[in-house]
Amino acid sequence: MDTFVLISITGVGLGALYFLVASGLSLIYGLMGVLNFAHGTFLVVGAFVGLWMSTQVFHTNSTFAFIVSMIVGGIGAGIFALIMEQLLITRLYNRHIDQALVTVGVALVVGAVLGGWFTNDLRLLPTPPWFINTVTIGKAFIPVDRFLYILTALALLGIFVGILKFTRIGLIIRAGVENRTMVTALGINVKRAFSAVFFLGGFAAGVGGVLIAAYQGGVTPLMAGSWLIYGFIVVVIGGMGSIGGSAVAALLIGITKQFVNYYIPGLGDFVVVILLVAVLLVRPQGLFGKVSA
Amino acid sequence: MLRWKYSRPLLGLLILITAIGPAIHLGFLAEPGMQQTLAVAFLYGALALTYDLLFGFTGLLSFGHAVFFASGMYLTAIFVNSAHMSLFPAAAIAIFITSLLATAVGAASLRTTGITFAMVTLAFGEAGHIIISRNFGNFTNGENGLALNADRVPSFFLGVANTRYLFWLALSVLAITYFAIWWVTQSSAGKVFQALRDNEVRASVLGLNPFVYKLLAFMIAGTLASIVGCAMLVISGSASPRFASAETTIALLLMVILGGAVTRWGAVIGGILYSLASTRLQDFSKIATQHHIPKVLSGPLSEPAFTLGLIFILIVMFAPGGLSGAYYRLRQSYFAKKSRKAETE
């Protein structure tokens, strides 16, 4: 039972990190049809900005410093995403394959630039001292930092849902995911919604990047690798363009991975891939995706 | 003034000189180091060509193609090392098994289309990469890679003095792949592949089953990739998990875009140039430190991914069609000018 609680909560914590990576990916794909291979780069940029903030500006590992670094990391990644969108993506309007290819190029170039400047060595990210504490639930010792991941993901989920449901830009985004041509035909400027989605997606990935750096112990230009692939898997299982779907799929994958890894070490990744294939063969549009018209 | 009508014979001559270069000790072609580099480059050219069949000709954006390449490598190495088979029978069985594997993976993933297909193949590719790098069943030796047992390799493939045989092996694999793909794309099935890429609904209304033809393309590309994999195993001497990774497939995509899709020779040139560039661009860092270029620039320049990624972005943005596309545009504008001149005279 204790193990069950421990694995469940760490699984939810892992799922929270997956959600941060996947949510933006899902919105960007749902609205614009862009398969964003640079999303891992957003994550790395966010982590580096967060690292800069917490080591160069704050010089302390207080909780406040960490939270602010996390938010600044998110904003940095969001601005980076916005610049990429304005500079490259908008110029390839409706050329979906080319847009995906350009993001591959951006991922290569930015990865190389960061690798050239900072080397690929792991840089320690200062985390608040209570990160290594545990709390006891029942008889299980749960690492405290997992709760921060979960809370952050919940907060971002709330922000996303709030923006999508209650603001005008959110309305345009939701309508655009469903039928972009029609929204454009009604004379609504979808381009602003594109930029908003890129900024929000970049923000979530950047915040995720800082938390992943805390989770893995440090920042390196190569840290995005498997997280991006897991982001893709979450998006596909949850359904493209569905934030709720991403949240459910992220939880599903985080928990599955933790449980399988506990009982059969090393097999977690493999089972997740099998899960993805199974979902796609039964429901190609994902769990919560709509069949595109 | 360029003489376009001579371009083909010139190209033929260039290929002939390259092929017999190592035998007649011609310049840099006689150096074993260069022969090895070129052999690897030729194989990447061949591999990019198999990816062109999928991506360029059939319009299937697969992110798992590298797995079939790695499967050819690993299965051959396992049969040679563990089952004590000699190289060629082992390679033949490895290629056959890979073709079955490609058919199975293709049959599952081709139930989806478009971006979902890309994701499913990415997932299959990652599954293969995980199986290899985590060393399930103790066959693959995990992250360390699997060295080919040299005792069972024909002696003319071993030793520095015999590098030219590796060179010729790579060149002949490239030639075989080229003619196989040329034959496939010229055949009626190949025409169907292209029809499916351009308009799947229309092709299926004509009574053609898209699934069967796409599966055929997937299977042929996977099988040819495994043949290239066998050759790569002999040339590099060992198999390594990175050959199965999604990064390798993305590199193939870059090669095809760089050279230009659907022209066949474009993908080959793209593959060869990419491979040469990624080995040679590291010398940039030495040049950069000698000329006191600030670290802000020299750091990124020392990473081949920087230059290649930049070129890649520029090609996608400004020169779709890559190198071969640019060649055909130049050629067309030359002929247009010529015919206009003929009219005025």
Side-chain angles (χ1 to χ4, degrees), chain B residues 132-145:
Chain B
I132 290 172
S133 59
R134 297 280 164 81
N135 198 12
F136 285 122
N138 265 337
F139 287 119
T140 61
N141 202 20
E143 295 285 349
N144 297 327

Side-chain angles (χ1 to χ4, degrees), chain B residues 250-274:
Chain B
I250 288 177
L252 293 181
L253 185 64
L254 299 190
M255 294 170 192
V256 173
I257 301 290
L258 182 70
V262 206
T263 55
R264 288 185 292 265
W265 63 271
V268 174
I269 298 286
I272 292 175
L273 285 182
Y274 183 97

Side-chain angles (χ1 to χ4, degrees), chain A residues 1-10 133-144 146-147 259 262:
Chain A
M1 187 61 200
D2 311 334
T3 331
F4 181 81
V5 172
L6 174 69
I7 298 174
S8 302
I9 294 182
T10 51
N133 293 358
T134 55
V135 288
T136 324
I137 296 179
K139 277 178 190 160
F141 297 101
I142 317 284
V144 181
R146 306 303 147 94
F147 293 106
F259 269 100
Y262 178 76

Side-chain angles (χ1 to χ4, degrees), chain B residues 62-216:
Chain B
S62 163
F63 283 106
H65 193 57
V67 156
F68 305 120
F69 173 60
S71 150
M73 289 181 99
Y74 268 98
L75 288 174
T76 310
I78 289 168
F79 288 138
V80 169
N81 291 1
S82 306
H84 305 293
M85 297 171 74
S86 50
L87 182 65
F88 291 105
I93 297 176
I95 292 164
F96 177 70
I97 294 178
T98 308
S99 72
L100 296 183
L101 182 72
T103 314
V105 170
S109 41
L110 282 168
R111 290 170 47 113
T112 60
T113 51
I115 294 295
T116 322
F117 172 79
M119 309 302 338
V120 182
T121 49
L122 180 69
F124 274 118
E126 272 310 291
H129 184 216
I130 291 167
I131 292 175
I132 290 172
S133 59
R134 297 280 164 81
N135 198 12
F136 285 122
N138 265 337
F139 287 119
T140 61
N141 202 20
E143 295 285 349
N144 297 327
L146 187 61
L148 185 65
N149 185 352
D151 297 344
R152 303 195 163 268
V153 177
S155 57
F156 53 86
F157 282 148
L158 298 171
V160 176
N162 285 334
T163 312
R164 54 173 193 232
Y165 291 106
L166 297 179
F167 177 88
W168 284 321
L169 172 72
L171 197 60
S172 41
V173 167
L174 175 58
I176 290 167
T177 314
Y178 188 89
F179 283 110
I181 299 246
W182 177 78
W183 179 67
V184 167
T185 50
Q186 292 297 311
S187 70
S188 53
K191 301 290 176 205
V192 178
F193 296 165
Q194 293 168 57
L196 286 172
R197 175 198 64 202
D198 294 337
N199 193 335
E200 183 167 334
V201 176
R202 193 165 169 196
S204 59
V205 167
L206 290 172
L208 301 160
N209 185 344
F211 178 80
V212 171
Y213 282 97
K214 285 199 264 183
L215 185 58
L216 185 66

